[in-house]
């Protein structure tokens, strides 16, 4: 069972890594926040299994923290020129390194998604307001129905006719016309 939990964790972790690798973003690092450790822990019943999962989590978090970049390192070109014995070659690498420019993403996808999200949020707000109004109406109808049901056993004809003047008029006109059936 612990093996299955470990495989589940590995699948959760490797899915984003393979997605980023497919996009060519090799510098992406997966954080330990992607794994729902509580859900995995709840699927394990034995104390020994939970202890092993705790050890696995500790090891995993140690590995993930070591994978994160520590920051940019300043290259000491002069030291490399002296240590290599080939200062011309190191100078060429230095020149090429300084000319290296990482291209910036030029797409407008983020702006499109933000605009679409704002539109959806606006629609959701309108729907929510309409829903609140409808909830108030339905609660009033429900209260009326509950009130009517509570009176059902004890209400008299006079009380019903008093609450509904149209019905009272129809009944009285039928009585005057002699329509009993």
């Amino acid at each position: 069972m612990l093996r299955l939990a470990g495989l589940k964790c590995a699948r959760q972790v490797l899915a984003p890594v393979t997605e980023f690798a497919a996009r060519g973003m090799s510098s992406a690092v997966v954080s330990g926040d992607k794994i729902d450790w509580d859900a995995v822990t709840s699927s394990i019943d034995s104390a020994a299994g939970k202890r092993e999962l705790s050890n696995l989590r500790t090891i995993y978090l140690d590995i993930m923290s070591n994978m994160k970049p520590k920051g940019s390192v300043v290259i000491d070109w002069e030291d490399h020129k002296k240590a290599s014995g080939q200062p011309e070659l190191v100078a060429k690498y230095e020149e090429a390194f300084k000319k290296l420019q990482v291209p910036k993403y030029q797409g407008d996808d983020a702006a499109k998604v933000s605009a679409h999200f704002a539109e959806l949020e606006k629609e959701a707000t309108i729907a929510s307001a309409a829903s609140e109004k409808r909830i108030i109406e339905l609660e009033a109808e429900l209260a009326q129905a509950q009130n009517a049901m509570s009176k059902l056993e004890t209400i008299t004809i006079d009380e019903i006719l008093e609450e509904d003047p149209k019905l009272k008029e129809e009944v009285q006109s039928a009585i005057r016309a002699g329509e009993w059936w």
Side-chain angles (χ1 to χ4, degrees):
M1 185 150 163
L2 184 58
R3 184 179 300 151
L4 292 175
L7 287 173
K8 182 178 179 182
C9 289
R11 275 191 225 109
Q12 286 179 351
V13 170
L14 292 177
V17 172
T18 54
E19 179 182 331
F20 281 121
R23 292 183 186 173
M25 297 181 183
S26 60
S27 63
V29 177
V30 180
S31 69
D33 300 339
K34 302 264 185 207
I35 298 175
D36 187 2
W37 290 104
D38 295 330
V40 176
T41 304
S42 66
S43 67
I44 299 173
D45 297 329
S46 68
K50 290 183 180 184
R51 196 169 37 251
E52 287 297 320
L53 183 63
S54 176
N55 292 339
L56 177 66
R57 181 180 185 180
T58 304
I59 292 168
Y60 171 78
L61 292 175
D62 286 343
I63 290 170
M64 295 310 291
S65 67
N66 290 336
M67 286 178 60
K68 291 182 180 177
K70 304 293 187 224
S72 61
V73 177
V74 179
I75 301 172
D76 186 4
W77 294 107
E78 294 302 319
D79 186 45
H80 285 293
K81 287 177 185 176
K82 291 176 187 173
S84 69
Q86 296 181 348
E88 302 85 21
L89 183 61
V90 174
K92 287 183 182 181
Y93 275 108
E94 181 181 8
E95 182 182 336
F97 183 78
K98 288 182 179 177
K99 289 181 183 177
L100 181 68
Q101 294 204 0
V102 179
K104 302 263 186 219
Y105 182 69
Q106 299 297 324
D108 61 343
D109 296 337
K112 288 179 183 177
V113 169
S114 295
H116 185 65
F117 183 74
E119 182 180 318
L120 289 175
E121 198 171 33
K122 181 180 170 186
E123 289 175 12
T125 304
I126 292 169
S128 175
S131 175
E132 290 294 326
K133 288 179 184 176
R134 184 66 179 143
I135 287 172
I136 292 170
E137 292 172 5
L138 291 175
E139 285 176 346
E141 287 180 27
L142 182 62
Q144 287 176 351
Q146 287 174 341
N147 188 23
M149 286 180 66
S150 67
K151 292 181 181 179
L152 195 57
E153 292 181 9
T154 59
I155 196 164
T156 63
I157 296 285
D158 290 332
E159 291 172 344
I160 292 174
L161 294 177
E162 191 177 299
E163 287 179 9
D164 191 357
K166 279 187 173 182
L167 180 63
K168 181 178 182 179
E169 184 60 38
E170 287 177 24
V171 169
Q172 297 229 342
S173 65
I175 291 173
R176 278 186 237 124
E179 300 170 357
W180 298 94
W181 304 103

